[in-house]
């Protein structure tokens, strides 16, 4: 059961990985965590059990002070080791040194066994892993397996495309 009672609990900063709306998760009585439903990230550094907190306030405080380690929200624009990438099928920037030793940046995603089974015509031939994804002519999606060493969230769309704010003259 989850509740969203936020009495005396500071509002949560956005998810550092995707900018998503973080939520306090009530695991059970007196057992709380904070996570991002958007990219499935959970902060597991609490003192209780495998990393939970005993109060919502403690969980929220811990989540909000994590950027104090020097990582402000915009710092996620730096490359992160691929081991920390969210393997949830979200489109990310992926990068690796190519065979000529030059840095190559692509967009792609993790494809799990379940994802491949649902989306591939011949899933038996496909191993789960990272894939470069692209849209070819006629909007036909295509992808290729790659071995990225780093990842970054996709940059946000241009502010003017948000639509709810009129651009000044
Ligand atoms: Zn997130």
């Amino acid at each position: 059961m989850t509740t969203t009672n936020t009495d005396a609990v500071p509002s949560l900063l956005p998810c550092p990985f995707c900018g998503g709306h973080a939520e306090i998760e009530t695991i059970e009585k007196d057992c709380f965590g904070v996570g991002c439903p958007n990219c499935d990230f959970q902060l597991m550094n609490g003192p209780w059990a495998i990393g939970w907190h005993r109060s919502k306030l403690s969980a929220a405080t811990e989540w909000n002070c994590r950027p104090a380690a020097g990582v402000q929200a915009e710092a996620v624009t730096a490359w992160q080791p691929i081991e920390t990438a969210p393997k949830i099928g979200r489109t990310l920037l992926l990068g690796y040194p190519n065979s000529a030793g030059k840095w190559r940046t692509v967009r792609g995603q993790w494809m799990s066994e379940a994802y491949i089974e649902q989306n591939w015509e011949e899933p038996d031939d496909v191993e789960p892993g990272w894939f470069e994804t692209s849209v070819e002519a006629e909007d036909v999606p295509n992808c290729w397996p790659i071995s990225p060493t780093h990842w970054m969230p996709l940059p946000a769309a241009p502010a003017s495309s948000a639509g709810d704010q009129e651009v000044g003259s």
Side-chain angles (χ1 to χ4, degrees):
M1 189 170 73
T2 60
T3 60
T4 52
N5 179 11
T6 54
D7 281 344
V9 175
S11 52
L12 298 170
L13 295 174
C15 170
F17 293 110
C18 73
H21 183 74
E23 288 179 2
I24 291 182
E25 296 161 359
T26 303
I27 312 308
E28 55 187 65
K29 188 177 183 310
D30 299 332
C31 182
F32 306 97
V34 179
C36 170
N38 193 40
C39 72
D40 214 18
F41 173 72
Q42 273 185 326
L43 184 63
M44 302 293 291
N45 67 340
W48 176 244
I50 58 169
W52 306 115
H53 290 265
R54 298 301 253 162
S55 72
K56 289 184 181 181
L57 178 61
S58 167
T61 303
E62 200 61 41
W63 173 273
N64 283 348
C65 84
R66 193 159 42 98
V71 188
Q72 292 299 332
E74 62 261 45
V76 246
T77 54
W79 289 104
Q80 311 286 326
I82 195 65
E83 293 76 25
T84 66
K87 293 180 173 180
I88 52 162
R90 186 178 177 81
T91 300
L92 304 168
L93 289 182
L94 301 170
Y96 58 94
N98 70 11
S99 55
K102 293 204 169 177
W103 186 252
R104 181 156 192 269
T105 300
V106 303
R107 65 196 286 286
Q109 68 177 82
W110 177 264
M111 293 191 190
S112 65
E113 202 173 324
Y115 181 97
I116 289 168
E117 264 174 37
Q118 283 169 22
N119 292 279
W120 286 64
E121 283 175 24
E122 293 172 39
D124 292 347
D125 301 336
V126 185
E127 295 285 328
W130 292 103
F131 286 79
E132 178 179 352
T133 55
S134 179
V135 176
E136 301 188 318
E138 310 289 334
D139 286 341
V140 177
N142 204 346
C143 65
W144 305 265
I146 56 171
S147 300
T149 59
H150 290 76
W151 74 281
M152 274 170 59
L154 284 183
S160 57
S161 69
D164 56 3
Q165 236 176 354
E166 229 171 305
V167 179
S169 54

